Amino acid sequence: MGERIVFHIDFDYFFAQCEEIRSPELRTKPVCVCVFSDRGSDSGAIATANYIARKFGAKSGMPIMFAKKRLEERKDAIFLPVDFDYYTNISEASMQIIKKNADIFEYVGKDEAYLDVTKRVNGDFSKASHLAQQIKNALKEKTKVSCSIGISPNKLISKIASDFKKPDGLTVVTPEKIEEFLEPLKIRDIPGIGKKTEEQFSKMDVKTIRDLKRLDIFTLNKKFGRKIGAYIFNSARGINNEPVKEHEPTIQFSKIATLKRDSKDFTFLLESMRELCNELHSTIVKNNKMFKSVGIQLIQSDLSNKTKSRMLRNPTNSYDELEKNAEQLLKEALADQHMNVRRLGVKVSELSEIAGQSSITSYF
Ligand code: DGT
Ligand code: CA
Ligand code: CA
């Protein structure tokens, strides 16, 4: 394979940034976007926080209560509920702009994409960084989104590079700078190496990528198996041949069915809902996916449509989670239901590869 030029683009503090775009007065305040659980008040977790809030220690996954504690001295701190549909709109509009600038466009998630731009910049890194700057400008102008871009000969290094300087970063790693760029980084900076792997290495006194290069392929294979061993060995040397694959988002899986009779009876509808959840769950499992959003759709007797959805705190592939959330949504939807329901649907979205596999093995 000839030398490629690959971009990794990642939107900065995405959900919180969307909130700032909607309400610019938030820009000077700490902002946390929260997934409130149904237990009320402050139970739930932080989806993400803007960089001002992060300075005080608020971050993704943290219980809302903890974040409030960290931000106690900031009376101006703002805690907002997730507005997933709105973030999706901003994401889609931004991805359209990005896509136009790629030879090959690979959608990874709402705030993330890889681009192969080799052809359009003639393999020239300085043209590539100019193109990246143009993409950043176009996003700022049209959707107001700020992002960080990593540029290198492959997906692995570009992914690391986009994370290197955030927010609003642009990091170019030309082939001759790969070693110099990687060596001082922590092994945790290699995508797929999580806390557990980091601890294992720490016991061997391996902390940086430079340290990691001391280990030969046999040692790594013995410890992690051949596939992951090879991935770690190659990653430490900046080697990654994975192509950028044309990929539009697999946005969702859904099941829909016409009821035996039109009805607005909860128990009757719930029974069908469970069957749909069952079928849907098989599809999810077959495709090795996790979901982070559950939605339902009611098509009413007059064929009008009613939908409801909710974001989960964490990605899951659990049947119980699916059913529990679908049931809750159904209850909410029926609370103010006047018309009978004719067709019923369940969907899951915000799909990701199943955990564990998503970590290391998906980076081949
Ligand atoms: P950064 O570091 O500037 O890229 O910040 P984010 O917030 O864009 O972080 P990233 O790229 O890891 O995640 C993209 C979006 O995904 C983020 O804005 C909110 C959502 N997200 C990330 N982590 C979590 C989490 O632990 N729970 C929930 N509910 N959502 C999350
Ligand atoms: Ca991001
Ligand atoms: Ca991301």
Side-chain angles (χ1 to χ4, degrees):
M1 204 186 299
E3 199 74 85
R4 295 177 295 152
I5 302 189
V6 173
F7 289 5
H8 181 257
I9 304 186
D10 190 286
F11 303 162
D12 302 320
Y13 61 102
F14 185 50
F15 293 0
Q17 194 195 158
C18 291
E19 296 296 347
E20 290 183 0
I21 292 168
R22 169 155 56 192
S23 322
E25 74 278 6
L26 295 178
R27 286 187 190 279
T28 53
K29 301 173 182 170
V31 177
C32 294
V33 174
C34 307
V35 183
F36 291 101
S37 76
D38 28 282
R39 297 223 190 86
S41 68
D42 279 352
S43 90
I46 303 297
T48 196
N50 70 358
Y51 280 75
I52 305 178
R54 286 183 200 190
K55 262 193 238 142
F56 292 84
K59 58 178 184 195
S60 298
M62 174 180 275
I64 296 165
M65 235 109 78
F66 287 17
K68 288 206 167 162
K69 190 110 200 103
R70 297 271 165 94
L71 283 160
E72 222 163 22
E73 60 191 274
R74 289 292 297 244
K75 298 292 173 233
D76 58 341
I78 305 275
F79 294 81
L80 295 166
V82 280
D83 180 352
F84 211 64
D85 294 340
Y86 170 64
Y87 312 147
T88 303
N89 289 341
I90 294 192
S91 167
E92 282 172 3
S94 304
M95 289 297 175
Q96 288 306 325
I97 294 166
I98 292 172
K99 210 156 104 179
K100 282 193 292 210
N101 290 285
D103 302 331
I104 309 170
F105 171 81
E106 180 176 333
Y107 176 95
V108 182
K110 287 247 159 341
D111 81 325
E112 212 173 307
Y114 288 105
L115 283 66
D116 189 315
V117 300
T118 315
K119 280 207 199 99
R120 67 183 55 210
V121 302
N122 259 325
D124 179 334
F125 272 88
S126 87
K127 279 189 191 146
S129 71
H130 188 69
L131 176 63
Q133 193 56 57
Q134 283 176 333
I135 295 175
K136 284 166 76 83
N137 295 346
L139 288 176
K140 282 220 181 98
E141 190 183 316
K142 297 195 174 108
T143 59
K144 306 209 161 55
V145 165
S146 106
C147 67
S148 298
I149 304 185
I151 305 181
S152 84
N154 66 51
K155 285 165 85 169
L156 170 89
I157 302 168
S158 295
K159 168 112 180 145
I160 299 173
S162 72
D163 204 42
F164 186 70
K165 189 178 164 292
K166 252 183 171 296
D168 200 17
L170 175 55
T171 303
V172 186
V173 185
T174 54
E176 56 279 9
K177 296 278 185 190
I178 291 174
E179 225 182 299
E180 186 184 322
F181 173 70
L182 289 179
E183 287 200 335
L185 299 181
K186 292 203 234 21
I187 56 164
R188 188 79 185 266
D189 290 322
I190 297 173
I193 292 194
K195 207 166 154 190
K196 270 194 229 141
T197 317
E198 185 181 42
E199 276 163 17
Q200 273 174 289
F201 278 120
S202 190
K203 283 187 203 126
M204 299 186 275
D205 209 26
V206 169
K207 300 213 161 69
T208 63
I209 296 182
R210 185 180 291 113
D211 301 335
L212 183 57
K213 282 165 94 175
R214 290 198 316 254
L215 304 182
D216 61 43
I217 184 75
F218 304 104
T219 312
L220 290 168
N221 285 352
K222 218 165 85 195
K223 231 174 153 51
F224 299 99
R226 278 207 6 221
K227 223 171 155 182
I228 293 172
Y231 170 77
I232 296 176
F233 182 85
N234 286 330
S235 296
R237 288 154 184 81
I239 299 166
N240 181 281
N241 292 323
E242 195 193 340
V244 176
K245 291 183 279 288
E246 199 66 53
H247 176 58
E248 294 295 329
T250 317
I251 307 163
Q252 60 177 51
F253 293 120
S254 63
K255 298 284 169 193
I256 188 157
T258 305
L259 301 167
K260 290 186 199 99
R261 57 181 163 85
D262 290 13
S263 164
K264 57 175 176 163
D265 176 63
F266 176 70
T267 320
F268 176 73
L269 291 173
L270 184 59
E271 201 181 312
S272 302
M273 177 71 86
R274 290 203 169 123
E275 277 170 35
L276 290 170
C277 285
N278 246 311
E279 288 172 31
L280 182 58
H281 188 249
S282 316
T283 307
I284 297 165
V285 171
K286 231 181 276 158
N287 285 279
N288 260 320
K289 295 290 188 201
M290 315 248 279
F291 54 93
K292 215 163 93 183
S293 168
V294 176
I296 64 162
Q297 180 182 16
L298 310 183
I299 297 166
Q300 313 182 86
S301 296
D302 68 347
L303 300 183
S304 64
N305 212 347
K306 187 167 173 182
T307 61
K308 274 195 175 290
S309 67
R310 59 158 57 172
M311 262 282 269
L312 310 182
R313 196 177 148 182
N314 292 305
T316 174
N317 66 348
S318 137
Y319 175 79
D320 291 343
E321 279 285 308
L322 172 61
E323 197 202 275
K324 191 181 78 188
N325 284 287
E327 180 175 338
Q328 187 59 37
L329 289 167
L330 181 64
K331 207 175 275 170
E332 287 167 22
L334 291 179
D336 60 350
Q337 183 71 19
H338 303 297
M339 227 180 288
N340 279 333
V341 179
R342 181 183 160 79
R343 279 159 70 71
L344 187 63
V346 198
K347 68 161 194 191
V348 290
S349 55
E350 278 306 287
L351 304 175
S352 52
E353 297 297 314
I354 200 155
Q357 295 186 352
S358 85
S359 49
I360 282 186
T361 44
S362 75
Y363 285 99
F364 286 92

